[in-house]
Amino acid sequence: MSTFSQGGASSNRNGNTNSNTRTSFKPPSSNVKSKPTQRRNTTTGAAKDRHASVPGRVRVAVRLRPRNAEESVADADFADCVELQPELKRLKLRKNNWDGETYEFDEVLTEFASQKRVYEVVARPVVESVLDGYNGTIMAYGQTGTGKTYTLGRLGEEDTAARGIMVRAMEDIFADVSLETDSVSVSYLQLYMETIQDLLDPANDNIAIVEDPKTGDVSLPGATLVEIRDQQSFVELLRLGEAHRFAANTKLNTESSRSHAILMVHVKRSIKGRDASHSSENGNHPHMVKSLKAPIVRKAKLVVVDLAGSERIDKSGSEGHMLEEAKSINLSLSALGKCINSLAENSAHVPFRDSKLTRLLRDSFGGTARTSLVITIGPSPRHRGETASTIMFGQRAMKVENMIKLKEEFDYKSLSRRLDIELDKLIMEHERQQKAFEDEIERLATEAQHQISEAERNYVDSLEKERSKYQKEYMESVKKLEEKFLMNQRKNEEPNMKSSMEIPKVSAEEMADLKKMLQKETLLRKAAEGETNNLKIHVAELKQSETSAKSEISKLHKMLEDEAHQKEKLEGEIAILQSQLLHLSLEADETSRQLDEGRFEKEVGGRDSLTSQVKHQLQASGNGEKPSIGKLFEQVGLQKILSLLEAEDADVRIHAVKVVANLAAEETNQGRIVEAGGLTSLLTLLKTTQDETILRVAAGAIANLAMNETNQELIMAQGGISLLSMTAANAEDPQTLRMVAGAIANLCGNDKLQTELRGEGGIKALLGMVRCRHPDVHAQVARGIANYAKCESRASSQGLKSGRSFLIEDGALPWIVQNANNEASSIRRHIELALCHLAQHEANARDMIKGGALWELVRISRDCSREDIKTLAHRTLASIPAFQAEMRRMRVSR
């Protein structure tokens, strides 16, 4: 159901249709993408009572598909079975040329209505409600081949005017939300044979429905929920989901959907302006109220349902498994019709649990969602019965009333995060105050030490003064005593002494006192002199220590000045380097983008493919001048660029590894990179980083270096194959896997590393990457298998290896046989070469015959487009006796 037609062929579900066999519904309109109109404000009433519910009837629009090529021929002599009156919003279903029945709908869209017109009247009101906080459902119902998928899921990549409701709805949502405060997440599912399967993760093929026992709300916790930030990401998700959806060719539709597709868009919006109103009402504490009041968020869900078309078995010609699919589709649509009938008739019981489809749509019909239904019909009188049934379904759906309810709640998680931030701020403030307190204590201690030193100096000065004073008094006392002694001596001498000349007597007591005084003064003088000498020595030591301290302080000041100058110089160099790296990263991203655009059209093969592409882009970006990467290489130097691979800033590491990868694309730079330790740094990034971009670019750089035989041996010696295997096991990004597969594929081409490569898990890692369905990844895996098979074949021919191939022992043969006739030439060519090399040795013949590889070799020898491979296959079949015997047994000629 990829185009708005009934019959014919389609090669792509999203728009690349064949106009010769199918009639696309393309009314005349401009191809210029129109800007979304300004959304009206409907939040006034909701702000008053967030729990209030308002009635809302299911709105139904009918859309007529134009005749396709088959109907134009088969029904050329018959009038259309319907007649539209869009101005009156009526539709007349003809019973015959003169009689008919008239029905009214909310909108009647003719075969000339544009996709934009359909979106405006059917989907825009629902999308606006979702943006205002209400759940919404948009659903398409109708016979198979009447244009449901065209109306809802058309991507419009070739013609923007053909964009469907899904794409246009997401454009309006992104135009209205703020990615800073709001979030948009998407799930894409299909209901196939009463099992819910994840279109974004095909391995998740049995998702359970969970119902809230209190509210009855339905959820799918097992479904993949992807947060998207832009329209391009959403379109890529739609393309991925459509590739996994079940479709089949029937008589009524060449690509009939065999499952119900369900797109769920979850919109979470923060409501601003509430905190200010609450704080003003609570008086003098606005800051505290603002801090403790939880913000309000609105969580709305938009559900877009592309129902599989109802069909009659006798008309569609379904048989076997397709018949079982048709029965399952009709049963689920029948259960939906019963629920609609019960709701239209206000029955006490509505059988929602009869089908998983009705359980999923419980909120859409009779629930709290705003629902819009578009029924699609065809003009052919041969399908008048199906058209009448579709019209009656729409008529009954118009009688269903929903109670629209605003989905608002308090965002306590946001409040918790905000309080955590406030707590961190308080802790930081406390630590700052604690540091200030400790600094103050240290300052006071320093001041106290200075005061103590000053007191000691004052004590020394005072002691010196006292010593001088005592010494002076001592000298004066001695002088007085000498004078007194001489005076007494003169008094006692008389010129006319008597003959007896009596000698004056000095009392012994006075002499003893005098001696004691002299001894005491002598001792005091010696003590004062000794203390004076000690103080002089101490002062000399202090002066020497002060001189040494001043010299050390001068040296420290000089060292600090040198360090500050060096720091400023390094910061300037880093700023210049980051600026150059940013400019270079932009050029590298542009180069990668140009390479990616040409990747699906070019064959990926050979060791020189990555190098030649990067060389071409670098030469083109310079307009004849030397590439900017080379300029940076000369100006900055390889060692500085490699040192940035260990930077703490993730952006700097990303820019640096991109520069190294682009340098590694040049053979002249590879030797210098390896000598400077670049290979070791790249392998270390594979081991330590979790960033997907760094892993992808680092693996690409290693793949470039692995083109050189010497570098291949170094990679193996440093455990490179183990790190590449680990990256392959953990990565999910197709481009990362492509780079890892390319590196291993290059290593597979080295004859000396075959045993070691297999022993460290290289072959199993290569085969493990086929879980990614991207053709570029498969092309690199196929190239690696071809290289390994070629080296094994050469070793067996030289007598260096015997026995079965390691590829067969590791289980590669089933995948090789499965992809031997792959549509992608880059995959098929390498697989064909691998088969030819494996078949050249008798030891592999039995396994190849048992695994079906022999018949692929016969096909290659007959139908291969490359003559060299065709000749090699023919020669191999003729040289292996086991193949000859099996072909004779099966009577197959070469």
Side-chain angles (χ1 to χ4, degrees):
M1 294 174 58
S2 61
T3 58
F4 201 39
S5 63
Q6 182 180 1
S10 174
S11 61
N12 189 313
R13 296 183 58 85
N14 290 318
N16 296 331
T17 59
N18 188 337
S19 59
N20 295 329
T21 57
R22 306 195 69 171
T23 304
S24 297
F25 187 34
K26 295 183 178 179
S29 61
S30 173
N31 289 337
V32 180
K33 181 178 177 181
S34 60
K35 294 183 179 179
T37 57
Q38 182 65 33
R39 186 172 63 85
R40 54 188 174 83
N41 186 2
T42 60
T43 62
T44 305
K48 296 180 180 178
D49 186 1
R50 69 175 62 94
H51 300 291
S53 299
V54 295
R57 178 178 61 80
V58 175
R59 298 184 76 257
V60 181
V62 60
R63 187 181 194 188
L64 176 65
R65 171 182 57 77
R67 288 193 179 193
N68 56 30
E70 180 186 355
E71 292 170 345
S72 298
V73 175
D75 301 333
D77 298 331
F78 300 94
D80 292 348
C81 66
V82 292
E83 178 183 345
L84 304 185
Q85 298 174 341
E87 64 281 354
L88 300 177
K89 298 183 180 180
R90 291 179 181 174
L91 177 148
K92 183 177 181 181
L93 179 63
R94 291 193 179 98
K95 293 182 178 179
N96 46 49
N97 290 335
W98 58 86
D99 190 14
E101 297 175 349
T102 302
Y103 302 93
E104 291 186 0
F105 291 92
D106 293 303
E107 292 291 341
V108 175
L109 302 167
T110 69
E111 63 269 34
F112 302 107
S114 66
Q115 290 280 75
K116 180 180 179 182
R117 168 66 177 163
V118 175
Y119 174 75
E120 294 289 342
V121 301
V122 174
R124 184 181 289 279
V126 178
V127 175
E128 291 180 348
S129 296
V130 171
L131 291 171
D132 288 335
Y134 299 91
N135 286 345
T137 301
I138 304 168
M139 188 171 74
Y141 178 92
Q143 182 190 9
T144 182
T146 54
K148 298 183 294 300
T149 302
Y150 178 87
T151 300
L152 294 181
R154 187 66 173 255
L155 298 183
E157 294 176 309
E158 295 182 353
D159 183 3
T160 56
R163 303 190 313 280
I165 286 176
M166 291 181 181
V167 177
R168 294 176 184 269
M170 191 57 64
E171 288 174 354
D172 278 2
I173 289 174
F174 277 121
D176 196 76
V177 301
S178 172
L179 296 180
E180 295 179 356
T181 58
D182 306 336
S183 66
V184 180
S185 303
V186 171
S187 294
Y188 200 14
L189 315 166
Q190 69 174 350
L191 179 60
Y192 176 73
M193 301 286 285
E194 279 302 295
T195 61
I196 301 176
Q197 303 177 4
D198 198 330
L199 290 175
L200 302 181
D201 182 12
N204 190 9
D205 57 0
N206 192 10
I207 301 173
I209 299 176
V210 178
E211 293 186 16
D212 191 320
K214 296 181 179 179
T215 63
D217 291 341
V218 174
S219 62
L220 301 170
T224 301
L225 188 64
V226 181
E227 182 174 352
I228 55 177
R229 308 283 293 178
D230 54 65
Q231 183 71 12
Q232 184 61 33
S233 299
F234 174 70
V235 173
E236 291 296 332
L237 287 179
L238 284 185
R239 186 182 294 108
L240 175 64
E242 285 298 313
H244 296 146
R245 190 176 176 190
F246 288 101
N249 186 359
T250 68
K251 292 181 179 180
L252 298 178
N253 191 353
T254 57
E255 197 166 352
S256 174
S257 298
R258 313 309 289 171
S259 64
H260 307 299
I262 303 166
L263 175 70
M264 294 184 178
V265 182
H266 300 265
V267 181
K268 179 180 178 182
R269 308 195 69 184
S270 299
I271 306 301
K272 300 180 180 179
R274 295 297 184 94
D275 295 335
S277 61
H278 283 294
S279 63
S280 61
E281 294 172 1
N282 287 300
N284 299 324
H285 304 283
H287 178 71
M288 183 175 295
V289 174
K290 182 175 181 180
S291 299
L292 299 180
K293 185 65 178 179
I296 297 174
V297 294
R298 290 178 177 172
K299 296 181 178 179
K301 178 172 66 176
L302 173 64
V303 180
V304 183
V305 184
D306 180 11
L307 295 174
S310 60
E311 61 181 61
R312 292 187 178 180
I313 306 304
D314 56 343
K315 292 185 178 182
S316 65
S318 298
E319 297 177 352
H321 185 67
M322 289 176 55
L323 178 60
E324 297 300 320
E325 292 176 337
K327 289 180 180 179
S328 177
I329 292 170
N330 290 339
L331 283 175
S332 60
L333 293 177
S334 176
L336 178 61
K338 291 178 182 179
C339 292
I340 297 295
N341 291 341
S342 299
L343 291 169
E345 296 170 1
N346 292 323
S347 298
H349 172 68
V350 181
F352 282 116
R353 304 191 68 82
D354 287 358
S355 169
K356 288 188 178 180
L357 176 63
T358 53
R359 291 177 67 188
L360 289 173
L361 297 179
R362 185 169 187 172
D363 191 49
S364 303
F365 293 98
T368 61
R370 186 181 299 278
T371 301
S372 183
L373 170 67
V374 55
I375 60 173
T376 57
I377 59 175
S380 175
R382 291 179 295 163
H383 306 298
R384 184 185 181 282
E386 290 84 347
T387 301
S389 175
T390 301
I391 291 173
M392 293 310 300
F393 180 88
Q395 287 288 297
R396 289 190 293 270
M398 290 178 64
K399 298 178 182 179
V400 178
E401 287 280 349
N402 292 352
M403 295 303 294
I404 314 301
K405 186 177 181 180
L406 186 64
K407 304 295 182 180
E408 271 190 0
E409 62 184 38
F410 289 110
D411 189 1
Y412 291 105
K413 291 184 179 179
S414 176
L415 175 61
S416 176
R417 288 194 299 270
R418 193 166 65 193
L419 291 178
D420 287 340
I421 294 173
E422 290 294 331
L423 180 60
D424 291 338
K425 290 182 179 178
L426 291 175
I427 292 174
M428 291 175 62
E429 179 63 21
H430 173 72
E431 292 176 350
R432 187 188 64 79
Q433 293 179 356
Q434 182 70 18
K435 182 65 168 56
F437 175 75
E438 292 174 356
D439 293 342
E440 182 66 17
I441 292 297
E442 185 177 355
R443 185 185 64 81
L444 293 176
T446 303
E447 290 183 358
Q449 186 66 32
H450 290 167
Q451 292 177 0
I452 291 172
S453 300
E454 184 68 24
E456 288 179 350
R457 287 194 297 271
N458 293 337
Y459 169 74
V460 171
D461 294 341
S462 300
L463 188 62
E464 180 68 20
K465 290 179 181 178
E466 288 293 326
R467 187 190 66 77
S468 301
K469 178 181 176 183
Y470 288 143
Q471 187 176 9
K472 185 177 180 182
E473 290 178 354
Y474 166 75
M475 295 300 293
E476 290 177 352
S477 299
V478 170
K479 186 177 181 181
K480 288 180 180 179
L481 288 173
E482 289 178 349
E483 290 177 352
K484 185 177 180 181
F485 175 77
L486 292 174
M487 187 181 293
N488 290 333
Q489 189 175 10
R490 282 194 301 268
K491 286 181 179 180
N492 291 330
E493 291 179 356
E494 292 181 359
N496 47 357
M497 299 174 84
K498 293 179 177 182
S499 57
S500 57
M501 294 188 69
E502 299 178 356
I503 300 173
K505 295 181 179 180
V506 179
S507 65
E509 192 175 41
E510 289 180 351
M511 290 298 292
D513 291 337
L514 183 61
K515 288 181 179 181
K516 288 180 180 180
M517 289 177 63
L518 287 173
Q519 292 175 354
K520 183 177 181 181
E521 290 296 333
T522 303
L523 292 174
L524 286 174
R525 179 178 179 182
K526 290 181 178 180
E529 288 176 352
E531 189 171 358
T532 301
N533 292 331
N534 291 335
L535 290 174
K536 287 181 178 179
I537 294 172
H538 185 60
V539 169
E541 291 176 352
L542 289 176
K543 289 182 177 180
Q544 184 178 3
S545 176
E546 181 181 3
T547 304
S548 177
K550 287 182 179 179
S551 175
E552 286 292 326
I553 291 173
S554 299
K555 292 181 179 179
L556 290 175
H557 277 300
K558 185 176 181 181
M559 290 174 63
L560 287 175
E561 290 175 357
D562 293 340
E563 289 289 336
H565 180 70
Q566 185 68 16
K567 181 180 179 182
E568 292 177 356
K569 183 179 179 181
L570 290 176
E571 287 177 348
E573 291 181 357
I574 290 173
I576 295 172
L577 186 59
Q578 287 180 342
S579 174
Q580 293 173 337
L581 280 175
L582 179 60
H583 178 71
L584 179 60
S585 176
L586 293 176
E587 291 188 358
D589 289 341
E590 178 64 19
T591 301
S592 299
R593 184 184 66 77
Q594 294 175 1
L595 288 173
D596 290 339
E597 290 176 353
R599 185 178 299 123
F600 294 100
E601 299 176 1
K602 295 181 179 179
E603 179 180 2
V604 180
R607 291 187 173 183
D608 297 329
S609 60
L610 294 175
T611 302
S612 61
Q613 291 176 5
V614 174
K615 283 182 179 179
H616 175 71
Q617 293 298 333
L618 288 176
Q619 291 171 359
S621 65
N623 292 326
E625 298 180 359
K626 192 174 183 179
S628 56
I629 294 178
K631 292 181 179 179
L632 181 65
F633 181 49
E634 295 175 357
Q635 294 174 1
V636 178
L638 182 59
Q639 286 294 343
K640 288 189 177 180
I641 295 175
L642 293 178
S643 66
L644 293 178
L645 295 176
E646 302 176 1
E648 296 182 358
D649 192 334
D651 290 337
V652 174
R653 291 202 306 274
I654 291 173
H655 295 326
V657 75
K658 286 182 178 179
V659 173
V660 175
N662 281 279
L663 289 173
E666 295 283 350
E667 292 183 3
T668 55
N669 297 331
Q670 292 179 359
R672 300 173 65 182
I673 292 174
V674 173
E675 290 176 2
L679 176 59
T680 303
S681 300
L682 291 171
L683 293 173
T684 303
L685 286 178
L686 292 185
K687 182 178 180 181
T688 58
T689 187
Q690 299 295 326
D691 189 281
E692 194 73 36
T693 302
I694 294 178
L695 286 175
R696 181 177 67 253
V697 181
I702 294 171
N704 286 336
L705 294 176
M707 296 175 187
N708 180 278
E709 184 175 349
T710 303
N711 295 342
Q712 291 172 355
E713 296 176 0
L714 289 175
I715 291 172
M716 294 297 296
Q718 297 183 26
I721 191 64
S722 299
L723 295 175
L724 289 170
S725 300
M726 178 185 68
T727 305
N730 298 329
E732 296 295 336
D733 178 42
Q735 299 308 320
T736 303
L737 292 174
R738 181 178 72 86
M739 295 299 182
V740 174
I744 297 178
N746 289 339
L747 295 174
C748 287
N750 192 318
D751 295 306
K752 303 176 183 178
L753 307 178
Q754 297 295 296
T755 304
E756 185 178 359
L757 182 69
R758 190 231 185 180
E760 295 187 13
I763 300 302
K764 291 186 177 180
L766 198 65
L767 294 175
M769 284 183 278
V770 301
R771 71 182 187 276
C772 176
R773 301 185 179 182
H774 201 287
D776 286 356
V777 178
H778 284 205
Q780 293 296 334
V781 173
R783 183 169 69 87
I785 290 175
N787 287 343
Y788 197 90
K790 183 178 180 180
C791 290
E792 274 195 331
S793 175
R794 188 183 298 119
S796 299
S797 300
Q798 296 172 356
L800 301 177
K801 183 184 182 306
S802 61
R804 292 194 308 165
S805 168
F806 289 151
L807 291 172
I808 295 178
E809 291 183 359
D810 286 348
L813 187 59
W815 185 83
I816 294 174
V817 173
Q818 180 183 355
N819 290 272
N821 198 18
N822 195 290
E823 294 180 357
S825 61
S826 58
I827 300 174
R828 184 177 64 254
R829 175 169 59 85
H830 292 303
I831 294 297
E832 289 173 347
L833 278 172
L835 278 173
C836 291
H837 288 305
L838 289 174
Q840 289 179 350
H841 302 282
E842 187 76 26
N844 300 330
R846 183 177 178 182
D847 292 289
M848 296 186 71
I849 293 172
K850 185 177 179 180
L854 174 59
W855 315 119
E856 292 298 333
L857 281 171
V858 173
R859 179 192 60 78
I860 294 170
S861 68
R862 295 175 178 176
D863 303 331
C864 183
S865 59
R866 289 188 49 168
E867 286 299 326
D868 55 340
I869 299 177
K870 184 176 180 180
T871 303
L872 180 61
H874 191 277
R875 186 170 63 249
T876 301
L877 289 173
S879 62
I880 303 300
F883 291 157
Q884 290 292 315
E886 181 67 15
M887 292 172 66
R888 285 195 298 270
R889 188 180 69 84
M890 299 300 295
R891 297 180 180 178
V892 176
S893 61
R894 288 188 287 110

